[in-house]
Amino acid sequence: MALPRLRDELDLLPGPSLADGQPSWTLHDPVRHQFYRIDWPTFEVLQRWDLNDPQAIADAVSQATTLALSAEDVVAVVEFLGLHQLVQPEGADAPAKMAARLAQMQGSPMNWLLHHYLFFRVPLVRPDAWLGRWLPVANLFFTRSFAWMTAVALLWGLSHVVRRWESFSASLVDTFNLDGLLAYGAALFLVKLLHELGHAFTAKRFGCRVPAMGIAFLVMWPVAYTDTNETWRLTDRMQRLKVASAGILTELVIAAWATLAWALFPEGGVKSAAFVLATTSWVATLAINASPFMRFDGYFILMDALDMPNLHGRSFAMARWKLREWLFGLGDAPPEYFKPLQAKALIAFAFSTWLYRLVLFLGIALLVYFYFFKVLGIFLFLVEIVWFVWFPIRSELKVWKARWADIRQQPKSRQSVWVVLLALVLMLVPWPGRVTASALLRPAEQWPVFAPSGARIEALPFKEGASVAEGDLVMSLYVPDLVVKRAALQARLDQQRWQAAASGLDEESRKRLLVNQQSLQTARAELAGVDAEALQFAPRAPYAGTLKDVNPDLQLGQWVSRKEKLGTLIKANSPWLVETWLDEDAVQRVRVGDAAYFYKDSASGAMLRLTVTSVDQDASRVLPKPELAAQWGGHVLSRDKNNQLIPERAIYRVSLKIEDADRLHFEQSARGHITLHASWEAPASRYFRQAVSVLMQESGF
């Protein structure tokens, strides 16, 4: 077969040595600004391209070198060059082929729109000449002296942050407002501009051309970019690594000096700006740019550190091959040969990247759905799911379809089918249910003692565990405002009594008789109200029982705050019960009469057998027992609002009685965990109910 002619404008540049020790070269396509690394056999084939015959080239390479090539190896090189349009189009149908390929690359108008909605670039400047003029100034930041100064600034600044952490964290909280968000936006723009200049100047120092800088839009989110493809000309791997890491290092330098500025400057605008710059740089660097799972700086740094171009593509190919071997056992050769440990690391990296991207793209899809109005949000949500999730899966399924004849013949394929069917059965068949949650063991009848308002303790006749008779004074509290108010009302009442008694002495007082009597009744009612309020500060036992949960630090003369719990009176011979609050998913599986077990968190005492006695039909708006809140070691997710615990999801109270309670004796309330034997349920039903609930909620039904 006659070989196609190579394009005249292609550049062949020396490359670094590969991992196996063989030399490599870089093939540069200046029209599309693309670089391709080729190995030694490909280079030898290109050197003898003018022989114009695959077999002749293979024989010449085999005779002149230690390589043993065949005509098929040369044909593979021809196919590679043709696939990447590195040869000249020839023949009468060449224009038609080029037009068809262009149409295939561009796709339909809808495909073009969807692709460019997800990602497109807007070049803004051609900075190469400007970078050359300012390179002598930028070189000052690449010196070892500046690196040592930055390290000292970082340590100095961090030492101040550690010593003044409360002030630093308070500044972070204070910036969560509109002005703070605007400041962070401006700081992020500045940091990203300097980030890209770090890449650009580093590449320029090593003799690379920087043709463009601009803005790229990733799902309509603007991010700066710098075209540093010329770094593939560099044969030194460390130089490419320095270019890739220059952006992150620039942000870290900004963060170091901004942290020092925050520590040294007095309160004011400069200190606030330094704080915003420091936090923005740290967060943006560690949370975004350092990730190797997306094509950000972390990926290129890892790629250059391992000297493994196209790391994502090669690791994905290895993972897809390994997945087929796990599922079908086809016995195919791996796409590339690596050392066993290196191959395992690449496969693990690929699966981690897929999982990371799945979570990220689902999050972006949900953000798009909730950010835009519903019709557009649903459309963009579907675009995200189809483009980033379904298309990669569909691509792999096409490979399975093409290899179906081989797949169906493998014994391992049948094993995989049985495993999948078994998993589906396990997900769809109901299983005996079990619900676990934190719970509270307490007496059914108990009387909490609270301070109605701020007061001073006047009397504590009973201590912890003391027996209290019905009507006994549990404690006495003194409220100065209430005492003053009562004294004033008593004086007013005495005055009204005197006026009412003297109303018949003269004509003028007789005219005011009804008014004085009405005022006297009002004063008596107000005094009675104050006396009733005073009774709340002298609580008496409503029944005989035992006083529990008394703070041992309480002393006479000590002040207590409003609504502060001072103790609990447990009724004598009161039955005990266990109660908990379950979310709507769990409570649907619980019925009255279900069995349960309770054990204390302290692991003391025997396990208690329980029976569900009641399940509330109405959801609780607040969590009345803080012991069950997640922030206090319980299971109910809640947030504090106006000194009340508001559950994140609807919760329902479940009460349980203790079996054989007559033979058990409890001293005080205790928190523990319960295990409920709930109704049978298929594992998949919960997810199905949740999906239906979300669909109905979002559709407005």
Side-chain angles (χ1 to χ4, degrees), residues 531-642:
D531 289 339
E533 185 179 356
L535 291 177
Q536 299 179 15
F537 294 90
R540 294 184 177 275
Y543 43 69
T546 304
L547 189 63
K548 291 288 186 180
D549 301 332
V550 178
N551 189 340
D553 296 331
L554 288 180
Q555 298 178 359
L556 296 179
Q558 181 177 342
W559 287 84
V560 293
S561 60
R562 181 176 180 272
K563 297 296 183 181
E564 181 177 347
K565 187 176 180 180
L566 304 178
T568 302
L569 181 64
I570 300 175
K571 186 177 182 179
N573 300 321
S574 171
W576 286 65
L577 57 82
V578 174
E579 63 181 358
T580 186
W581 277 258
L582 301 178
D583 61 31
E584 51 191 346
D585 289 332
V587 81
Q588 291 180 1
R589 305 173 57 195
V590 178
R591 301 289 183 269
V592 174
D594 286 347
Y597 292 93
F598 173 87
Y599 55 93
K600 297 181 182 179
D601 286 347
S602 60
S604 62
M607 181 178 294
L608 305 179
R609 295 190 301 111
L610 311 173
T611 302
V612 177
T613 57
S614 66
V615 179
D616 286 359
Q617 299 300 313
D618 297 326
S620 301
R621 295 186 177 181
V622 298
L623 178 63
K625 302 297 183 182
E627 299 93 334
L628 303 183
Q631 54 266 44
W632 304 111
H635 73 284
V636 181
L637 296 176
S638 60
R639 63 183 185 278
D640 192 357
K641 183 178 181 181
N642 298 328

Side-chain angles (χ1 to χ4, degrees), residues 11-18 20-29 34-48 65 67 80 86 232-235 240 307 309:
D11 294 331
L12 189 60
L13 309 170
S17 298
L18 300 181
D20 57 1
Q22 66 169 306
S24 72
W25 287 262
T26 301
L27 192 61
H28 178 213
D29 180 357
Q34 296 288 327
F35 293 84
Y36 304 91
R37 180 174 294 179
I38 60 175
D39 55 9
W40 180 25
T42 304
F43 172 75
E44 296 294 344
V45 169
L46 292 178
Q47 275 195 315
R48 295 162 178 81
T65 68
L67 296 171
F80 163 78
L86 300 176
W232 285 107
R233 290 177 172 269
L234 302 175
T235 58
R240 295 197 308 274
D307 194 21

Side-chain angles (χ1 to χ4, degrees), residues 27-159:
L27 192 61
H28 178 213
D29 180 357
V31 176
R32 292 182 300 157
H33 202 45
Q34 296 288 327
F35 293 84
Y36 304 91
R37 180 174 294 179
I38 60 175
D39 55 9
W40 180 25
T42 304
F43 172 75
E44 296 294 344
V45 169
L46 292 178
Q47 275 195 315
R48 295 162 178 81
W49 198 258
D50 55 352
L51 295 178
N52 202 28
D53 179 71
Q55 188 60 54
I57 294 176
D59 293 340
V61 172
S62 300
Q63 293 175 2
T65 68
T66 57
L67 296 171
L69 298 186
S70 63
E72 288 75 11
D73 297 325
V74 179
V75 172
V77 174
V78 175
E79 293 175 350
F80 163 78
L81 297 174
L83 178 64
H84 296 284
Q85 305 177 56
L86 300 176
V87 295
Q88 297 183 17
E90 296 178 346
D93 59 344
K97 290 182 179 179
M98 294 179 65
R101 183 171 181 83
L102 178 62
Q104 181 183 5
M105 293 174 58
Q106 293 179 342
S108 64
M110 179 59 69
N111 185 41
W112 182 92
L113 178 62
L114 293 178
H115 179 74
H116 287 79
Y117 144 70
L118 294 170
F119 181 80
F120 63 94
R121 287 180 173 181
V122 180
L124 297 179
V125 294
R126 299 182 179 276
D128 194 67
W130 181 85
L131 293 172
R133 290 194 299 270
W134 284 92
L135 184 59
V137 177
N139 282 333
L140 298 176
F141 298 99
F142 292 91
T143 59
R144 183 170 298 180
S145 300
F146 181 75
W148 280 109
M149 292 169 58
T150 302
V152 172
L154 175 62
L155 295 176
W156 193 357
L158 289 179
S159 65

Side-chain angles (χ1 to χ4, degrees), residues 158-460:
L158 289 179
S159 65
H160 279 273
V161 169
V162 172
R163 290 199 302 268
R164 300 161 56 189
W165 175 249
E166 292 185 359
S167 175
F168 187 85
S169 59
S171 299
L172 181 61
V173 174
D174 292 341
T175 57
F176 285 107
N177 51 46
L178 180 60
D179 293 339
L181 293 177
L182 293 176
Y184 274 113
L188 188 62
F189 174 80
L190 177 61
V191 167
K192 290 305 174 185
L193 176 61
L194 296 176
H195 174 108
E196 297 304 323
L197 288 176
H199 286 303
F201 276 116
T202 307
K204 194 66 177 174
R205 288 186 76 239
F206 295 128
C208 298
R209 186 172 64 93
V210 182
M213 294 177 67
I215 299 177
F217 288 85
L218 180 62
V219 195
M220 304 308 294
W221 182 262
V223 292
Y225 84 93
T226 301
D227 188 347
T228 57
N229 282 341
E230 285 268 335
T231 54
W232 285 107
R233 290 177 172 269
L234 302 175
T235 58
D236 188 347
R237 175 171 59 92
M238 293 305 299
Q239 290 182 345
R240 295 197 308 274
L241 182 61
K242 290 178 181 178
V243 175
S245 59
I248 289 180
L249 292 176
T250 300
E251 293 193 30
L252 293 179
V253 167
I254 296 171
W257 287 99
T259 303
L260 179 61
W262 176 86
L264 298 181
F265 281 97
E267 296 293 337
V270 176
K271 188 181 186 73
S272 299
F275 175 83
V276 171
L277 276 176
T279 53
T280 301
S281 300
W282 285 114
V283 172
T285 296
L286 299 178
I288 300 175
N289 289 317
S291 172
F293 302 122
M294 299 294 290
R295 288 183 175 268
F296 296 137
D297 288 353
Y299 167 69
F300 294 103
I301 291 173
L302 181 62
M303 187 172 62
D304 289 328
L306 299 176
D307 194 21
M308 189 173 294
N310 193 22
L311 176 60
H312 276 165
R314 297 165 73 180
S315 64
F316 293 169
M318 289 290 296
R320 286 192 293 267
W321 164 78
K322 193 63 178 179
L323 179 63
R324 294 166 197 157
E325 292 302 309
W326 283 337
L327 294 176
F328 312 125
L330 296 173
D332 293 340
E336 291 186 72
Y337 287 96
F338 297 98
K339 296 179 180 178
L341 184 60
Q342 190 178 20
K344 292 179 180 178
L346 285 173
I347 293 170
F349 175 73
F351 281 109
S352 301
T353 302
W354 288 341
L355 179 61
Y356 174 87
R357 290 186 177 185
L358 177 63
V359 175
L360 177 65
F361 294 150
L362 286 177
I364 293 175
L366 292 174
L367 180 64
V368 166
Y369 172 76
F370 288 109
Y371 184 77
F372 296 98
F373 59 89
K374 284 198 172 182
V375 175
L376 180 59
I378 292 174
F379 173 74
L380 297 180
F381 177 87
L382 292 176
V383 169
E384 293 287 318
I385 296 300
V386 170
W387 190 276
F388 288 120
V389 179
W390 169 241
F391 277 5
I393 295 176
R394 187 187 66 171
S395 176
E396 181 61 20
L397 292 177
K398 286 183 177 179
V399 177
W400 294 5
K401 182 179 179 181
R403 300 288 306 275
W404 182 246
D406 297 331
I407 290 175
R408 64 186 303 177
Q409 296 177 0
Q410 301 299 323
K412 198 166 187 178
S413 301
R414 291 188 287 272
Q415 296 177 8
S416 299
V417 170
W418 282 112
V419 170
V420 172
L421 291 177
L422 179 61
L424 290 175
V425 170
L426 294 178
M427 290 293 292
L428 298 176
V429 171
W431 284 75
R434 189 178 69 172
V435 175
T436 59
S438 58
L440 193 63
L441 171 69
R442 68 169 184 83
E445 295 186 59
Q446 58 182 359
W447 183 58
V449 182
F450 289 92
S453 65
R456 188 180 67 200
I457 298 177
E458 286 292 293
L460 284 173

